[in-house]
Amino acid sequence: MKSFRNNLDAVSSTLAYILFSSIFLVFFVIILINSNDTLIKGPGNTVVKEQYRDIGNMISTTITDMYFIVPENGYIETNYTIPEEIGGETYIINADSASIDEIIEVRSTQSDKIISVTLNGIASSMSINGTAYSSTSNHRIRYKNDEP
């Protein structure tokens, strides 16, 4: 009868299992640490930028519509609603530089995310300026046509 204390037949199987499990665990931890940027932050940034683009396009469309329907020597005013936060960040809608570059700029106040949307050439015939902050959801655009 064999003595179990001197039998080393199962040592190589157990050692292989422990070694394989340790290597797998180290690779899993490395992948888990590095996947945050790829699987969470990347798609999140893409969604936030697309929502910024949607808001910029909404403002551009609203201004374009107002430009086309305002009567001579008339006044038009419209309200619009925007979300207070996108992706957990507040943002600014800026149209101050639109008279030169014909753009609406949507910029995050907490990160470097920024989107510019064109105004389809309207800024050359009407002055567009103003800034809206997303800290409140209700905003207003006013336009007064003084041309004869």
Side-chain angles (χ1 to χ4, degrees):
M1 180 173 210
K2 283 186 166 182
S3 171
F4 287 113
R5 291 185 180 182
N6 295 331
N7 189 353
L8 300 177
D9 290 342
V11 172
S12 63
S13 300
T14 307
L15 188 60
Y17 175 76
I18 291 171
L19 191 61
F20 176 74
S21 297
S22 299
I23 292 171
F24 174 75
L25 188 62
V26 167
F27 281 138
F28 182 73
V29 168
I30 290 171
I31 289 173
L32 186 65
I33 290 170
N34 292 329
S35 66
N36 186 33
D37 288 339
T38 305
L39 299 177
I40 296 171
K41 288 184 181 178
N45 288 337
T46 302
V47 168
V48 168
K49 285 189 175 187
E50 288 304 316
Q51 288 180 340
Y52 283 177
R53 185 169 283 116
D54 289 344
I55 288 174
N57 284 330
M58 179 202 61
I59 299 297
S60 175
T61 303
T62 303
I63 291 171
T64 304
D65 290 346
M66 289 175 68
Y67 175 75
F68 285 126
I69 64 172
V70 69
E72 274 188 33
N73 296 322
Y75 175 81
I76 191 167
E77 182 175 291
T78 185
N79 294 326
Y80 65 94
T81 304
I82 57 173
E84 292 182 13
E85 289 183 345
I86 294 178
E89 299 178 1
T90 56
Y91 55 95
I92 298 171
I93 303 169
N94 189 3
D96 286 338
S97 61
S99 60
I100 299 168
D101 295 334
E102 301 180 2
I103 60 168
I104 297 288
E105 185 178 84
V106 182
R107 175 189 306 259
S108 172
T109 58
Q110 297 155 344
S111 65
D112 60 348
K113 297 177 188 92
I114 182 170
I115 294 294
S116 298
V117 179
T118 63
L119 279 173
N120 302 324
I122 292 176
S124 61
S125 60
M126 67 185 270
S127 174
I128 299 170
N129 57 22
T131 301
Y133 296 91
S134 68
S135 56
T136 59
S137 60
N138 294 322
H139 299 278
R140 180 173 295 163
I141 298 174
R142 294 182 193 105
Y143 178 67
K144 185 175 182 181
N145 189 358
D146 292 333
E147 295 182 16

